[in-house]
Amino acid sequence: MYVRDLPLSDSVIDHYESLGIEELYPPQAEAVDAGVANGGRVVAAIPTASGKTFIAELAMLTADGPGLYICPLRALAREKYETFSALPGVSVGISTGDYDSPADELADHDIVVATSEKVDSAIRNGANWVADLACVVVDEVHLLGAEGRGPTLEVTLANLQRRAPGVQIVALSATVDNPEDIADWLDATLVESTWRPVDLRTGVYADGLVEFNDGTELTVDVDDGSTPNGADEDTEATVALVEDAVHNAGGQCLAFVRSRREAEALAERLAREGLATGASATVADDLTAVDGTSTGHRLADCVRDGVAFHHAGLRSTHRAVVETAFRNRYLAVICATPTLAAGVNVPARRVVVRDQQRYTGSSMEFLPVLEVHQMCGRAGRPHLDPYGEAVLVGDESSRAELDERYVDADPEAVESKLRDRTALTTHVLSIVATGFADSHATILEVLEATFYAHQTPVADLSGIVDDVTAELVEMGMLTEGTSETFTATDLGAQVSRQYVAPETGARIVSGLRRAAEMPAENVTGLTVLQLVADTPDMQDTYLGNRERAAMYQYARNHDAEFTVGMNDAEEFERWLETVKTARILYEWTEGETMETIVENYRIGPGDLESRVERTEWLLGAADALATLLDLDVPEIARVRSRL
DNA sequence: AAGAACGTGTTTTAGACAGCATGTC
DNA sequence: CTAAAACACGTTCTT
């Protein structure tokens, strides 16, 4: 099947042909056969890099009206926004938390790229462009099974269909065990394939030898001169595998490890192997220009030797520089935590997964098969490699287990997480606030359209809806009328629009009331920052044992400033963490440099950046709620302007 | 006596979406 | 109830 035979305009066909895209990949042809180019609903469960973007474009270009492309990450949204913008005669808009086309223009675009939360928010705020959509493409639908964000995605998809009945839905999934469940739910045709444009061989390394699943083998010379305890062996094997790929296979590598610290340690170890490229120094200079943090300096030093590390402790600019440099082949290796497994497109010749287990708060657990497969799937650069190689590092005792668990295994099934209480509370409130439902029965009706209801008999939802609505009434977010009818209160409506969890809204409200009663001189920047830090929508900040005593002292000295004092705190340890978060943010608003804060509180520059971002959002919500309740807390505005 | 080597108890551990209104190179 | 590796720090062993 050829591009020129598809129902596309001449200029679009020329565009594809100029990119060298003439004949469709097999999964793309299957999608066409399933009707993507004719308004048909399709679920495509195919590997990354097997041409999903083309399927998405095809659906949106042939649809009879505007298209919406939903994806899970902002960085991904940016990447797609740029790709779609290159299509001739197509106007593209973007809507994510950090980067937004003007809201009134969204309706005028042919394609809008957005994160799922942003789409959910648009629906909650009654955006009219949603109803006019002819086509919705959902990337990474398997995230339906993710705790926290999965429920948002399924409720959003259910609501979208309510607002735009009969829209064409095209869902793109990684290879999972039950794609037919998703296809069934969406009333779509399933296209399933494991075809890849570049072959992939996966294997396990143990004792100097990689045994690949295509029967081939690779001997690796491991320099085990250094003290051989378990960890060093894995690291040295990883070093040898990376070096071999770069020097002998002419390729770049990704190495996945368990923690940030180990990503950095491995990068520093690899920096001694002479992997620098001609452009390494330029990239290093770009990185140094971002900031003067020690993390930035260490990254630049590694990059000078052709090696980078990549994890969420890095600022987004640092991450973007590393990703781009790697794509341009200015870097030989990236040592990464799972950030890179599902993020933007960074294909490599060889992927080495050194650690397959991770601490989960209570014990070491094997990574999900899907996650390991996504890491491995990054191997194989189109037009550059004859095949990609993915290697799991193990030893003789674990070889068989790793083979069975990952190499030969199917990924997990996608299971709805909507039953989660917090998720239901949030979405039931939004369903009522948006006007999709006004009673127990109609709430159930809306929920019946979700993936959860599709997978599980609905009967047991009824009781939960009772509990959840009762809780929302108790919180003052809903009022109950006669015969189980519900209306959102002004507070409930505002909480839903501000996109904070009901629990967050309730905590902000009680904090604001308390602050309004406190002596004015006690209401400081720290007060409002701790107030928003002590909500479930703020991520907690790790409080190390070493700094606990000093933090306790600080909390005592400022106790009068907190809306919830140390004696009233329900969980003291968590409360003390919120004090740490607030203290960090307070110093930030007082003009302390990122370098100093990052040094003093032992957090990554990226951690500070993301907390500041969340604080902007949560203080915005606090401001809106204060106005609604007619509570005067001027510190909010002052702190907001200094973030 | 300096420094390497060893032993033991302690510390730490992945990721990342969202409001709203303006202004910028 | 469930782990493992790095680190900090003190002690012993070598030269």
Side-chain angles (χ1 to χ4, degrees), chain A residues 162-177:
Chain A
R162 189 165 273 261
R163 287 290 304 274
V167 248
Q168 176 184 16
I169 293 186
V170 174
L172 309 171
S173 171
T175 315
V176 292
D177 202 48

Side-chain angles (χ1 to χ4, degrees), chain A residues 7 26 89 147 166 192 230 252 322 333 340 401 410 555 581 613 623 627 637:
Chain A
E147 236 155 287
E192 207 178 352
Q252 302 165 279
V322 169
V333 196
L340 226 51
E401 183 181 12
D410 290 327
T581 310
E613 236 175 48
D623 217 353
T627 308

Side-chain angles (χ1 to χ4, degrees), chain A residues 260-584:
Chain A
R260 296 174 177 187
R261 193 173 54 191
E262 287 175 74
E264 297 187 16
L266 181 60
E268 276 159 6
R269 169 68 187 82
L270 279 163
R272 293 193 257 125
E273 299 297 318
L275 304 170
T277 65
S280 297
T282 324
V283 180
D285 291 342
D286 289 350
L287 289 166
T288 322
V290 175
D291 63 33
T293 58
S294 66
T295 309
H297 280 302
R298 266 179 293 125
L299 179 58
D301 286 344
C302 289
V303 163
R304 239 172 272 284
D305 292 307
V307 185
F309 51 84
H310 189 289
H311 56 65
L314 299 185
R315 300 180 64 175
S316 47
T317 24
H318 276 148
R319 285 196 252 176
V321 170
V322 169
E323 290 154 7
T324 310
F326 190 79
R327 261 199 304 268
N328 291 335
R329 292 198 270 154
Y330 298 158
L331 289 173
V333 196
I334 303 181
C335 305
T337 56
T339 17
L340 226 51
V344 296
N345 186 30
V346 272
R349 168 59 194 261
R350 183 179 292 171
V351 168
V352 183
V353 183
R354 196 197 67 182
D355 304 329
Q356 300 91 28
Q357 286 179 291
R358 185 166 52 218
Y359 179 71
T360 57
S362 49
S363 64
M364 294 301 279
E365 277 170 25
F366 277 102
L367 303 181
V369 179
L370 181 63
E371 199 174 317
V372 172
H373 282 191
Q374 282 193 312
M375 293 175 184
C376 295
R378 304 255 105 149
R381 298 165 299 176
H383 313 301
L384 236 41
D385 298 320
Y387 50 83
E389 301 158 314
V391 181
L392 311 183
V393 176
D395 55 37
E396 280 309 337
S397 69
S398 61
R399 169 170 259 150
E401 183 181 12
L402 289 178
D403 258 323
E404 189 192 343
R405 182 180 282 275
Y406 294 116
V407 181
D408 304 327
D410 290 327
E412 295 81 4
V414 176
E415 278 168 27
S416 169
K417 300 291 186 296
L418 185 58
R419 201 171 197 291
D420 175 79
R421 184 61 183 262
T422 343
L424 273 172
T425 314
T426 302
H427 292 294
V428 165
L429 174 61
S430 105
I431 286 166
V432 177
T434 317
F436 285 154
D438 58 3
S439 67
H440 181 92
T442 46
I443 291 171
L444 268 179
E445 193 188 310
V446 174
L447 293 178
E448 251 168 64
T450 61
F451 185 52
Y452 176 76
H454 182 82
Q455 282 195 316
T456 332
V458 180
D460 77 320
L461 261 180
S462 181
I464 310 175
V465 169
D466 274 334
D467 291 352
V468 165
T469 47
E471 189 183 334
L472 287 166
V473 169
E474 174 81 15
M475 288 170 139
M477 309 272 170
L478 293 182
T479 48
E480 187 166 8
T482 50
S483 63
E484 295 196 310
T485 58
F486 298 99
T487 326
T489 60
D490 288 346
L491 173 63
Q494 187 62 260
V495 164
S496 175
R497 269 200 302 274
Q498 293 293 321
Y499 212 80
V500 296
E503 167 80 13
T504 295
R507 294 192 79 100
I508 289 177
V509 168
S510 78
L512 288 173
R513 294 211 163 107
R514 175 82 192 91
E517 294 163 2
M518 281 159 56
E521 71 272 17
N522 284 349
V523 182
T524 63
L526 193 62
T527 308
V528 297
L529 288 167
Q530 197 274 333
L531 167 53
V532 296
D534 198 8
T535 62
D537 279 315
M538 178 64 83
Q539 77 237 82
D540 6 297
T541 307
Y542 182 78
L543 180 63
N545 279 330
R546 259 185 266 282
E547 54 186 342
R548 178 169 285 106
M551 199 57 65
Y552 177 80
Q553 197 54 51
Y554 179 86
R556 276 178 59 125
N557 293 343
H558 293 271
D559 203 34
E561 292 170 54
F562 300 128
T563 54
V564 175
M566 68 196 320
N567 295 322
D568 306 320
E570 284 172 22
E571 297 165 84
F572 182 75
E573 282 302 311
R574 210 195 104 62
W575 179 85
L576 201 56
E577 283 178 15
T578 68
V579 171
K580 173 171 176 179
T581 310
R583 182 180 183 180
I584 289 170

